[in-house]
Amino acid sequence: DAGVIQSPRHEVTEMGQEVTLRCKPISGHNSLFWYRQTMMRGLELLIYFNNNVPIDDSGMPEDRFSAKMPNASFSTLKIQPSEPRDSAVYFCASRGQGALSGYTFGSGTRLTVV
Amino acid sequence: GEDVEQSLFLSVREGDSSVINCTYTDSSSTYLYWYKQEPGAGLQLLTYIFSNMDMKQDQRLTVLLNKKDKHLSLRIADTQTGDSAIYFCAESKGGGGADGLTFGKGTHLIIQP
């Protein structure tokens, strides 16, 4: 089990550019979550999917942010256009069905917008 | 106010016990979790407790839950330098289904030699 795989690990981009973060959940997990971590705000839930369907996107900060899950093994988080205040570590997590299934986090993507 | 609150820092001597505290506000929280984050790494699940339990022990880790006071604690026995990390308390709203976690800001555990 390779765990939750995120790419890239680090991304540096210029303000105004489009940024796409990628996540591959654990095979068989049916829920996928995107979190953002900053020093000021801690860990914030941005959006989550259940069986590839977005369930709650109330944490997405602005229309510049969008997320998709075209199939059970892949999700993207896109920021267009990016701004310096988007700089953060973005984590993806997945969870299986059932009360005893825990959340598994990826190693995160550190995004720096200059 | 915050849904989940933790102290930002805790400093302990190597070999002593560490107790990290957390309070939450949502009485409907069904599952409560402790995660560990080492520098530059993702979050690692340490342990979790169901809201109908008041204690759970797993090797050096002991979780205590006071549901009446909405207070959760994590005790690490015989604290080692490898325990130095940020510890996050988190709650899951709802019945353990596919809902997101609400995290505290994290407690930085500092180990003194």
Side-chain angles (χ1 to χ4, degrees):
Chain A
D1 182 358
V4 176
I5 299 173
Q6 291 187 246
S7 64
R9 287 298 309 273
H10 303 274
E11 176 81 32
V12 180
T13 190
E14 290 186 346
M15 182 173 65
Q17 296 297 307
E18 178 180 295
V19 174
T20 299
L21 311 181
R22 297 172 175 78
C23 176
K24 182 181 186 319
I26 290 175
S27 177
H29 280 190
N30 66 324
S31 299
L32 183 140
F33 307 82
W34 282 101
Y35 286 87
R36 178 172 67 176
Q37 184 179 33
T38 60
M39 287 290 292
M40 290 299 294
R41 301 172 72 93
L43 277 154
E44 302 172 279
L45 176 64
L46 301 177
I47 185 171
Y48 73 91
F49 297 83
N50 191 28
N51 295 322
N52 312 340
V53 176
I55 302 299
D56 184 355
D57 65 354
S58 59
M60 297 285 261
E62 299 171 33
D63 291 345
R64 298 184 296 106
F65 286 69
S66 62
K68 293 182 180 178
M69 192 165 185
N71 57 62
S73 58
F74 184 66
S75 177
T76 59
L77 178 67
K78 186 178 293 186
I79 308 172
Q80 166 64 17
S82 58
E83 296 183 4
R85 60 193 168 119
D86 302 331
S87 298
V89 181
Y90 290 81
F91 287 103
C92 176
S94 69
R95 187 178 191 271
Q97 282 185 316
L100 297 181
S101 181
Y103 299 76
T104 303
F105 281 76
S107 298
T109 295
R110 181 173 293 278
L111 173 65
T112 304
V113 183
V114 297
Chain B
E2 297 289 334
D3 291 323
V4 180
E5 291 193 3
Q6 303 177 238
S7 298
L8 285 183
F9 295 97
L10 176 66
S11 178
V12 298
R13 290 188 181 277
E14 190 176 358
D16 288 352
S17 291
S18 305
V19 180
I20 303 170
N21 294 301
C22 169
T23 56
Y24 60 98
T25 57
D26 192 340
S27 58
S28 67
S29 297
T30 306
Y31 302 90
L32 296 135
Y33 302 82
W34 284 104
Y35 280 84
K36 176 183 180 182
Q37 185 180 33
E38 295 179 355
L43 279 79
Q44 173 195 354
L45 177 64
L46 285 180
T47 187
Y48 62 89
I49 190 168
F50 300 141
S51 60
N52 62 358
M53 298 169 64
D54 52 19
M55 182 179 125
K56 181 178 180 182
Q57 187 153 5
D58 183 2
Q59 299 182 336
R60 292 191 298 124
L61 305 179
T62 303
V63 179
L64 295 177
L65 174 62
N66 182 328
K67 195 173 179 183
K68 174 176 171 290
D69 294 338
K70 300 189 187 67
H71 181 266
L72 183 73
S73 68
L74 173 69
R75 179 177 180 270
I76 305 172
D78 187 24
T79 308
Q80 304 298 309
T81 55
D83 296 324
S84 180
I86 305 174
Y87 290 81
F88 291 92
C89 171
E91 62 168 357
S92 171
K93 301 185 194 299
D99 57 342
L101 294 171
T102 300
F103 286 88
K105 290 268 173 51
T107 299
H108 295 242
L109 180 60
I110 300 162
I111 316 299
Q112 300 173 27

